[in-house]
Amino acid sequence: MMMPKKVVNMARRFQITILRLLINHNWSTLQHDLNGPHREEETLATTTYLVLPSIIDHDLVLPSIDPDQNSSIIDWDCVKAASFSSNVDGMVGEDGIPHCCSLKGDDIRRMHTKDGPVCSCMLRNSLVITPHNGNLYCITGILDNLNGNSPMKSKKGKSLLCGRRLFKVQNWLRRSTFQKGKERSHIDSVAPKLCEIIMSPISASTLYSFSFIPSIMHRMKSMLLAITLKEMQMNHCTQKFDVPDIKVLEAITTDKCEEEFSLESLETLGDSFLKYVVSQQLFRDNKQDREGTLSLKRESMISNANLCKLGCNRKLPGFIRNERFDPKQWVIPGDPCGCYWKDEMFVSPLKKIYYEGTRPMNSKVISDVVEALIGAYLSTSGELAALYFMKWLGLLVDFVKEISDEKPFLEAEKYVNVSCLQSLLNYSFRDPSLLVEALTHGSYQVADIPRCYQRLEFLGDSVLDYLITLYFYKEYPGISPGVLTDLRSASVNNECYALTTVKFGLYKHILHQSPGLDEGIMSFVNNIGQSLPDSTFGWKAESPPPKVLPDILESIAGAILVDSGFDTNAVWQTIRPLLEPMATPDTLEHQPMRELEEFRVRKSYEKPTFQDGVASIKADGIIHEETYVSSNKKTLEKKGAKALLGSLKATNLGSE
């Protein structure tokens, strides 16, 4: 069914009037624009949709687009209200008083407005302006017979209008807007003679409902962006995956939008998966490369510059949402004064995306969105879906889970206690020589052992990062991106891995020929002594561990991955028990330096100093000093930060 041109114009005028008033609260400018010179054809061409008020009637089945038919679900009386000033002459009765009710003659209740007398029915449920101050009011009723205690008592028996200030359009997509918006608008008593009727009839509830339209339509436009992006990718995919549109939208929404969701958590997940799949690909394809060479190749593939390049090749910048929605900048469809999208971006032979002007975009933002989209496909449809998305981007990664047919290159029992280690790990190696490789330090020079643990450590580092991140993402789906990052940081770090290696005695099986290394290991072990904590996550070590200790846990994880045919479940079932208890949002500990810095900024204190073995901070005129001896700068800072935090909290300065 086609709307008659006259009806479309009336509906368009209503849409422009109500939304412009809600957004700008400027009646004089709107009057000028509506009555100004503009080509009707051009205006109609830019009216892509119309949002009109409805009548709730459950008996209606088919909507009518004819305002003269009573069966319509559209409230055409309200739509006509936008043309009140031009229609009012047609409402004048025999007595010369405009009215819309069935009363006649002396039964009509006259009320004097700035434009002359009208029936009270014209003021009930109307939008008026008081020209002397430009205020707009939603009139909800008439105040009369007021008692003496009423704060809105009328003078000399004259009736007043009960009016609410016109609602202000807000960004309802913004975090916590609903909580802030719960305050009730102020109710005023308004003298009719000061009022000029703009729209009648129109209820306050209709006006309030339309204040949500800019945010709703912006969200719909954003959802269409996400759907279009997903369709672009799916059109190049031989398999179809059920990736929810809302997850794609989350992945293209940065924190700058200040909405209830953003890409950070998905980016954290996608980053860890990308690092892992690229690592295992390089490990399998470059059997002779050392760890350093593999790391350089991985960095070139997953660097921000490369991800940005791949994202730009797929036109991702045109889909990224990187600004907070401003309702005042929203373009009302059909508004002749609106600034419409002029630049276009082809996304397929049949589809275009239009946007206004240039959109400068930081390369880091584009690379973050690439990782977040990988995370979206991974979290909703699994690893295969994420790999297909990466392939569409241009990241060609094979992901074959197969057990190697290579024969063991040595007799493992000659070098390590295989049965003891397998019992400790609760995993039986098909190729025990991988266990030997995983425990061999670079200083151990034996002809039978061709290489040290570094290649396996390169692989294990990435698979543990991925598995731990995936665990936290699935275990705590409602946590904020910041908490997810903190859980990951507390569980994927050298101190955590080193304490695990010591806790389960794995360090005793390291093969090396370096007296200095042995001395460093034993010094760290003795430092921990009897104070080895039950949990290993966080930053509990008082001194930095020798690098070999965390490396060994990672290399063992890499050995299990290779031995199991790249079965990540086998790695997780073996390594997770060693890491128990895992960190939780309730038991999470922040890195001491970070916690001190956040506290300092919150309290506006000066920066702490760490010099000559003394950590100090000035708080509320009091200097707190703590002395620690350490040859390592990072250790001194960590110990000093812990001590300063303890001192500040002890004097109740750290409490909120």
Side-chain angles (χ1 to χ4, degrees):
M1 293 185 293
M2 293 287 292
M3 270 192 180
K5 190 175 180 179
K6 180 181 177 181
V7 176
V8 172
N9 276 328
M10 178 176 64
R12 180 188 60 80
R13 184 182 180 93
F14 169 82
Q15 178 169 274
I16 295 172
T17 301
I18 190 171
L19 291 173
R20 280 277 292 272
L21 288 173
L22 286 166
I23 292 172
N24 300 321
H25 282 214
N26 193 322
W27 171 235
S28 60
T29 301
L30 175 60
Q31 271 185 308
H32 176 270
D33 291 341
L34 286 174
N35 299 322
H38 56 268
R39 292 181 60 187
E40 188 176 89
E41 293 79 7
E42 292 179 356
T43 304
L44 287 174
T46 58
T47 307
T48 53
Y49 58 82
L50 293 167
V51 181
L52 304 175
S54 65
I55 300 171
I56 301 175
D57 188 341
H58 298 291
D59 295 328
L60 291 175
V61 180
L62 293 175
S64 170
I65 57 172
D66 188 347
D68 297 325
Q69 292 184 17
N70 295 326
S71 61
S72 175
I73 63 169
I74 297 173
D75 187 350
W76 288 109
D77 287 337
C78 184
V79 173
K80 293 175 184 177
S83 304
F84 176 81
S85 58
S86 57
N87 294 338
V88 68
D89 291 340
M91 302 178 186
V92 176
E94 296 177 357
D95 52 5
I97 302 297
H99 66 91
C100 57
C101 60
S102 58
L103 300 178
K104 294 182 180 180
D106 295 337
D107 293 330
I108 293 178
R109 182 178 179 184
R110 293 173 174 82
M111 300 193 77
H112 288 273
T113 68
K114 189 171 181 62
D115 290 331
V118 297
C119 177
S120 61
C121 66
M122 306 293 290
L123 283 166
R124 286 192 180 92
N125 291 324
S126 66
L127 178 65
V128 305
I129 185 172
T130 50
H132 67 283
N133 57 16
N135 288 341
L136 295 166
Y137 295 93
C138 312
I139 303 302
T140 58
I142 297 173
L143 304 168
D144 33 27
N145 299 322
L146 301 176
N147 60 54
N149 296 323
S150 171
M152 295 183 287
K153 182 178 179 181
S154 60
K155 296 179 180 180
K156 299 180 181 180
K158 292 183 178 180
S159 298
L160 298 177
L161 304 177
C162 178
R164 288 179 180 271
R165 292 284 183 91
L166 183 62
F167 309 99
K168 290 184 179 180
V169 169
Q170 301 183 59
N171 176 8
W172 292 103
L173 304 174
R174 194 176 180 185
R175 288 189 288 265
S176 304
T177 300
F178 273 96
Q179 285 73 13
K180 295 176 183 177
K182 284 184 178 178
E183 300 177 5
R184 292 186 176 182
S185 58
H186 184 64
I187 299 177
D188 291 330
S189 56
V190 187
K193 65 180 180 180
L194 299 177
C195 298
E196 176 184 326
I197 300 176
I198 295 176
M199 298 178 72
S200 176
I202 187 167
S203 65
S205 61
T206 297
L207 288 162
Y208 182 64
S209 298
F210 269 78
S211 71
F212 288 86
I213 294 299
S215 295
I216 292 171
M217 300 314 299
H218 181 73
R219 173 56 56 83
M220 288 181 66
K221 185 187 82 170
S222 301
M223 284 297 296
L224 288 173
L225 273 177
I227 292 168
T228 302
L229 176 58
K230 189 177 80 171
E231 286 179 351
M232 284 171 55
Q233 189 274 325
M234 290 297 184
N235 288 339
H236 291 78
C237 186
T238 55
Q239 285 189 255
K240 301 302 178 184
F241 299 100
D242 186 20
V243 182
D245 300 330
I246 190 66
K247 273 296 176 186
V248 179
L249 178 62
E250 182 181 336
I252 61 175
T253 302
T254 72
D255 194 53
K256 285 187 177 181
C257 295
E258 298 182 12
E259 298 184 10
E260 290 297 327
F261 55 80
S262 62
L263 59 79
E264 276 80 1
S265 291
L266 290 174
E267 182 256 327
T268 299
L269 179 62
D271 168 70
S272 66
F273 180 72
L274 176 63
K275 177 183 174 183
Y276 163 60
V277 294
V278 169
S279 297
Q280 59 86 32
Q281 168 85 51
L282 292 171
F283 181 89
R284 289 189 288 107
D285 289 352
N286 303 274
K287 297 184 185 299
Q288 303 306 316
D289 283 355
R290 295 175 179 269
E291 181 271 337
T293 304
L294 293 174
S295 294
L296 289 173
K297 289 181 177 179
R298 180 175 67 188
E299 177 58 28
S300 69
M301 292 181 69
I302 68 174
S303 67
N304 287 340
N306 189 50
L307 296 181
C308 175
K309 178 182 176 181
L310 294 171
C312 289
N313 289 343
R314 286 299 186 182
K315 305 184 185 299
L316 284 187
F319 295 91
I320 297 173
R321 305 174 62 237
N322 196 36
E323 295 177 341
R324 186 179 70 197
F325 172 56
D326 182 0
K328 291 190 175 182
Q329 301 300 317
W330 181 66
V331 178
I332 302 171
D335 190 342
C337 298
C339 179
Y340 293 94
W341 313 119
K342 295 179 180 179
D343 294 337
E344 63 184 36
M345 177 183 73
F346 288 87
V347 297
S348 75
L350 300 177
K351 289 189 177 181
K352 299 177 184 178
I353 291 178
Y354 294 89
Y355 54 92
E356 183 181 7
T358 58
R359 301 182 68 215
M361 193 78 63
N362 188 292
S363 61
K364 176 67 165 59
V365 173
I366 299 171
S367 64
D368 285 349
V369 169
V370 169
E371 292 173 334
L373 285 166
I374 294 172
Y377 277 71
L378 173 69
S379 63
T380 59
S381 298
E383 294 177 346
L384 189 60
L387 288 169
Y388 268 101
F389 177 79
M390 290 168 59
K391 181 179 179 181
W392 174 73
L393 279 174
L395 280 167
L396 304 179
V397 179
D398 291 331
F399 200 55
V400 181
K401 295 184 178 182
E402 59 183 11
I403 297 174
S404 173
D405 57 0
E406 293 183 8
K407 295 181 180 180
F409 57 81
L410 53 75
E411 189 179 341
E413 286 287 357
K414 285 177 58 178
Y415 298 96
V416 297
N417 190 336
V418 175
S419 58
C420 174
L421 286 164
Q422 290 187 149
S423 176
L424 190 154
L425 297 171
N426 195 25
Y427 178 83
S428 297
F429 279 86
R430 295 181 177 88
D431 180 2
S433 62
L434 286 168
L435 187 55
V436 175
E437 181 180 341
L439 293 166
T440 301
H441 185 257
S443 64
Y444 195 71
Q445 301 295 323
V446 177
D448 289 349
I449 306 177
R451 53 180 173 260
C452 66
Y453 65 66
Q454 289 184 338
R455 278 176 54 86
L456 290 174
E457 179 255 325
F458 165 82
L459 185 61
D461 163 64
S462 64
V463 73
L464 285 181
D465 186 0
Y466 165 52
L467 291 174
I468 291 172
T469 304
L470 182 63
Y471 164 77
F472 286 128
Y473 184 87
K474 290 184 174 180
E475 187 72 12
Y476 305 105
I479 60 173
S480 68
V483 174
L484 176 63
T485 300
D486 289 342
L487 287 169
R488 178 194 191 189
S489 299
S491 304
V492 183
N493 65 70
N494 283 346
E495 289 187 25
C496 173
Y497 290 172
L499 288 173
T500 300
T501 301
V502 172
K503 182 178 180 180
F504 289 92
L506 294 172
Y507 71 94
K508 298 174 183 178
H509 300 271
I510 298 174
L511 300 173
H512 70 90
Q513 293 173 336
S514 170
L517 180 64
D518 196 50
E519 183 181 335
I521 292 173
M522 293 315 299
S523 173
F524 181 78
V525 172
N526 291 333
N527 257 346
I528 296 172
Q530 299 299 317
S531 63
L532 184 64
D534 292 332
S535 61
T536 58
F537 61 83
W539 293 267
K540 298 179 174 67
E542 293 297 323
S543 60
K547 187 176 182 298
V548 67
L549 293 179
D551 286 354
I552 287 300
L553 186 68
E554 292 171 336
S555 64
I556 289 175
I560 295 170
L561 184 66
V562 176
D563 186 73
S564 64
F566 291 86
D567 182 357
T568 53
N569 287 329
V571 178
W572 188 235
Q573 289 169 10
T574 302
I575 300 297
R576 177 181 171 177
L578 305 182
L579 299 173
E580 293 284 3
M582 301 290 290
T584 71
D586 294 329
T587 61
L588 178 64
E589 297 178 7
H590 293 293
Q591 206 278 346
M593 279 294 293
R594 177 189 159 186
E595 185 178 357
L596 179 62
E597 177 62 14
E598 289 178 350
F599 163 72
R600 181 195 72 78
V601 171
R602 191 166 64 248
K603 293 291 187 178
S604 301
Y605 293 153
E606 296 177 9
K607 287 187 176 182
T609 60
F610 302 90
Q611 190 173 4
D612 300 327
V614 177
S616 65
I617 187 172
K618 186 176 182 180
D620 294 337
I622 302 173
I623 297 178
H624 296 256
E625 288 188 344
E626 298 292 337
T627 304
Y628 276 98
V629 178
S630 176
S631 59
N632 184 279
K633 181 182 177 182
K634 287 187 176 180
T635 302
L636 172 63
E637 289 180 349
K638 185 175 76 170
K639 288 182 175 181
K642 277 185 176 181
L644 289 176
L645 282 168
S647 177
L648 291 169
K649 291 176 181 178
T651 55
N652 295 319
L653 292 174
S655 60
E656 291 295 333

